[in-house]
Amino acid sequence: MMAKLNAEGIYTRLTGHGIAHGSDPFDLHMIACILALAAQEAREEKTSWAAGLGLESWEMRALFMALFPSAIDLLEGVPLDPGEAPDEESALRDILWYNSAGSGTLSRLLVKIIARRCQRPNHLWQDLGFSGRFELSALMLRHYPRLAERNINDMKWKKFFYRMICSSTGFSLCVAPVCSECDDFDECFGDEDGESLLARMGNEKAMSPNEVRK
């Protein structure tokens, strides 16, 4: 089933036909975006869908049963190897879990998902498949309010997370005594402009093969 759907199709399948009764619309949208992007990446990079999410196979099924039970057929025949988590990912999981506002299935799995998506190369909001940083801000306020309160200067979230990891281990990647004295201030606090990765995939779908290669 999944092999026949692109990212847009997977998002539509999840949110249009698979949702669990009574689920929160924002959480459904958020997870559907992440799942759709990770599925497309897995197809293009020839990796496992679960590897892009940091979830075990049983956790993938638990996520679907919690939010998208009628779409669980998308997991049929799909490799679900989670891959290995680097040390910094495990440390980030600990930080997120300690600061999580919830303790249910979604909260537990979201910790692992965000920690894994932080290993991707783009802005975190892009690597979550969101349409803008405002959606990431909403996620943080809802699921990690203590972290949202601590990020008072609106530092880029990946930078903020890794600064917390450094402070917990006694090691620092930053040599500036304070942010205001840093020669590369925008690296941590600058604009996070860019195109949604899901939107980009949709645009490429609409283009001809020759246009995509240019």
Side-chain angles (χ1 to χ4, degrees):
M1 167 67 77
M2 194 189 80
K4 299 178 181 179
L5 299 174
N6 60 10
E8 181 182 359
I10 291 172
Y11 177 88
T12 300
R13 174 76 171 81
L14 292 171
T15 59
H17 306 288
I19 61 176
H21 179 70
S23 298
D24 181 85
F26 178 77
D27 286 341
L28 289 169
H29 163 72
M30 170 187 68
I31 297 297
C33 286
I34 301 169
L35 285 170
L37 179 59
Q40 186 68 25
E41 290 170 351
R43 179 178 302 162
E44 294 176 353
E45 300 170 11
K46 296 183 177 7
T47 58
S48 162
W49 194 3
L53 302 165
L55 301 180
E56 302 285 345
S57 59
W58 68 268
E59 291 173 319
M60 289 284 288
R61 293 183 174 87
L63 181 63
F64 270 73
M65 289 306 298
L67 296 181
F68 311 107
S70 297
I72 199 166
D73 58 298
L74 290 175
L75 297 179
E76 294 178 2
V78 175
L80 295 176
D81 177 10
E84 294 186 9
D87 291 341
E88 63 268 23
E89 183 176 330
S90 298
L92 181 50
R93 286 182 187 176
D94 291 341
I95 290 171
L96 290 168
W97 181 240
Y98 179 77
N99 290 281
S100 176
S103 58
T105 298
L106 176 60
S107 296
R108 288 185 283 107
L109 299 182
L110 187 60
V111 161
K112 300 184 75 171
I113 290 170
I114 293 177
R116 179 58 58 91
R117 299 309 294 172
C118 278
Q119 311 308 309
R120 302 292 298 184
N122 308 288
H123 297 312
L124 182 54
W125 68 264
Q126 291 177 309
D127 287 326
L128 293 173
F130 295 164
S131 59
R133 192 177 192 271
F134 67 94
E135 288 189 317
L136 175 56
S137 297
L139 181 156
M140 296 303 298
L141 283 169
R142 170 174 295 206
H143 291 280
Y144 309 100
R146 286 184 293 185
L147 292 180
E149 291 173 3
R150 289 186 62 175
N151 191 8
I152 56 175
N153 294 317
D154 205 26
M155 178 180 281
K156 295 177 182 179
W157 278 109
K158 284 186 181 180
K159 294 291 185 180
F160 179 83
F161 289 148
Y162 282 96
R163 172 168 286 197
M164 290 194 70
I165 291 173
C166 287
S167 65
S168 67
T169 59
F171 176 77
S172 179
L173 295 173
C174 182
V175 297
V178 293
C179 291
S180 60
E181 297 182 17
C182 181
D183 292 331
D184 199 8
F185 185 87
D186 286 348
E187 178 68 18
C188 290
F189 295 94
D191 292 336
E192 292 190 69
D193 297 331
E195 184 181 14
S196 164
L197 298 186
L198 284 181
R200 180 186 302 170
M201 290 173 180
N203 291 339
E204 290 179 352
K205 174 190 173 186
M207 296 167 66
S208 71
N210 289 335
E211 288 175 320
V212 172
R213 285 194 290 267
K214 288 181 180 179

